[in-house]
Amino acid sequence: MVLTHYTKNHGEEAREGEKLSHESQELLLSLPKEKGWRTPYLYKYQGFWCQPMEIQATVSFQKHFLARDTDVVLATIPKSGTTWLKALAFAIVNRKRFPISNNHPLLSYNPHDLVPFFEYKLYANEQLPDLSNLSNLPQPRLFGTHVPFASLANPINKSSSRVVYLCRNPFDTFVSSWHYTNKIIPKTQAPMPIEDAFEMYCKGIVGFGPFWDHMLGYWKESIERPHKVLFLKYEDMKEDVSFHLKKLADFLGFPFSLEEERAGCVEKIAKLCSFENLKELEVNKAGKSIKNFENKNLFRKAEVGDWVNYLSPRMAEQLTKVMEEKLGDSGLSFKVLP
Ligand code: PAP
């Protein structure tokens, strides 16, 4: 009886022709739930708030993914610079195969096409991904994910694969998430008021949140095992992209040679992957790379401190308190203004 009622609700949730398996439906019945930002509910799976399809995909990934020592996982909480990190990592590790030129794949493909997400692409459907395909990906294989470290750990820790985490200050991440949500919700749905979204965010109820647990999971791991997890901050990268590009290349095992540096290779990659360049490309103006979502919504302002245009002083104070309380003496702090 309960399951029938539940399944009916979930018919509405499983959008874009996606289906939840019976097993996933059973799992969801056992999980705490809260009203979602754009789906009826978010469910708490392994400590994190996710949409039903994301949980199904994460379970599948955890069961089936076989990591290789050379794999690289690019991890973020949504709206922290995922698209940028994917572009940079792709350009760095493939620069011998794809020198920076007018034919570079990043000029005709969105970074999400070149670096697939575990949960939105490879394990997004009930069927397993074509494993022969997965094993044929060029080395090192690059993957993207929003899954928190603890939930990633089992497959990933079985190998010497590396993880790069890009973190962004919660003020701008919140504003970016709120804008994005209102861009992609169906036209028939009323826009989400910023006050409602903000209250949920401060309670930790946001995709893959609470944001503090997501950040701290990777932060702690990066301190304990710096060879395994590289922790980067969006604001630092905006300030000095070349420095962080070199740091990323070193960590990934693809350091720039002196000749490359002299030839301006670092700056060329930075320019290729810049917001200004990617935003203007046809594929990023008109394409759809993740499910049915338009690429153009991934490129808004890319500024540090844009939150001041949206959050009232009271909201800023509230979020500051949440951060102080939750991040505590972890050592993780952010630049929130340019
Ligand atoms: P995702 O997690 O859904 O893939 P993600 O790429 O992390 O999205 O976030 C989009 C944000 O990154 C947008 O921020 P904004 O809303 O504050 O503007 C987007 O503008 C920004 N962004 C996209 N590409 C780049 C880039 N090449 N450099 C810097 N920021 C970028």
Side-chain angles (χ1 to χ4, degrees), residues 151-193:
S151 298
L152 199 67
N154 190 24
I156 297 303
N157 278 345
K158 285 187 179 144
S159 71
S160 314
S161 54
R162 281 170 254 213
V163 178
V164 180
Y165 186 73
L166 178 57
C167 197
R168 188 179 189 188
N169 83 67
F171 289 78
D172 286 321
T173 308
F174 164 72
V175 168
S176 183
S177 305
W178 172 70
H179 271 290
Y180 187 75
T181 301
N182 280 339
K183 281 270 192 263
I184 64 170
I185 54 171
K187 296 234 173 346
T188 49
Q189 216 169 304
M192 193 181 195

Side-chain angles (χ1 to χ4, degrees), residues 76-84 112 117 146 168 172 175-176 179-180 234 238 273-275 278 290 297-303 306:
T76 49
I77 197 162
K79 306 301 152 207
S80 304
T82 322
T83 312
W84 192 16
H112 294 290
F117 271 118
H146 292 319
R168 188 179 189 188
D172 286 321
V175 168
S176 183
H179 271 290
Y180 187 75
Y234 184 91
K238 286 288 279 188
C273 302
S274 69
F275 173 78
L278 295 186
I290 305 172
N297 294 326
L298 293 166
F299 304 91
R300 195 182 62 94
K301 274 194 180 171
E303 284 174 5
D306 180 47

Side-chain angles (χ1 to χ4, degrees), residues 103-271:
N103 299 324
H104 195 280
L106 277 164
L107 297 173
S108 9
Y109 294 90
N110 177 269
H112 294 290
D113 295 320
L114 301 171
V115 181
F117 271 118
F118 287 132
E119 63 274 16
Y120 300 116
K121 189 90 165 192
L122 299 172
Y123 294 91
N125 299 314
E126 247 185 276
Q127 313 94 300
L128 284 179
D130 180 349
L131 289 174
S132 57
N133 235 346
L134 204 57
S135 44
N136 285 338
L137 286 175
Q139 306 281 336
R141 301 186 303 179
L142 296 177
F143 301 105
T145 193
H146 292 319
V147 172
F149 187 79
S151 298
L152 199 67
N154 190 24
I156 297 303
N157 278 345
K158 285 187 179 144
S159 71
S160 314
S161 54
R162 281 170 254 213
V163 178
V164 180
Y165 186 73
L166 178 57
C167 197
R168 188 179 189 188
N169 83 67
F171 289 78
D172 286 321
T173 308
F174 164 72
V175 168
S176 183
S177 305
W178 172 70
H179 271 290
Y180 187 75
T181 301
N182 280 339
K183 281 270 192 263
I184 64 170
I185 54 171
K187 296 234 173 346
T188 49
Q189 216 169 304
M192 193 181 195
I194 193 164
E195 294 77 13
D196 295 4
F198 185 75
E199 284 310 314
M200 290 165 84
Y201 189 74
C202 288
K203 284 189 208 146
I205 304 165
V206 60
F208 298 95
F211 68 82
W212 51 86
D213 286 339
H214 200 279
M215 293 168 177
L216 288 176
Y218 285 95
W219 174 248
K220 287 177 182 156
E221 208 58 35
S222 74
I223 292 169
E224 279 161 30
R225 294 194 297 161
H227 57 282
K228 179 82 180 175
V229 180
L230 174 68
F231 195 98
L232 297 172
K233 292 185 193 167
Y234 184 91
E235 297 74 27
D236 295 346
M237 301 222 323
K238 286 288 279 188
E239 205 165 272
D240 189 346
V241 68
S242 296
F243 174 82
H244 290 92
L245 219 155
K246 284 192 260 177
K247 189 169 172 179
L248 179 59
D250 289 345
F251 177 78
L252 296 177
F254 289 80
F256 289 97
S257 66
L258 253 170
E259 296 82 76
E260 283 181 307
E261 286 205 31
R262 280 198 195 117
C265 187
V266 177
E267 288 71 25
K268 281 183 197 162
I269 292 180
K271 194 167 168 208

Side-chain angles (χ1 to χ4, degrees), residues 38-54:
R38 64 181 180 86
T39 49
Y41 297 107
L42 285 173
Y43 293 81
K44 203 169 200 185
Y45 174 65
Q46 299 184 340
F48 291 85
W49 294 104
C50 296
Q51 294 171 16
M53 293 305 299
E54 294 162 347

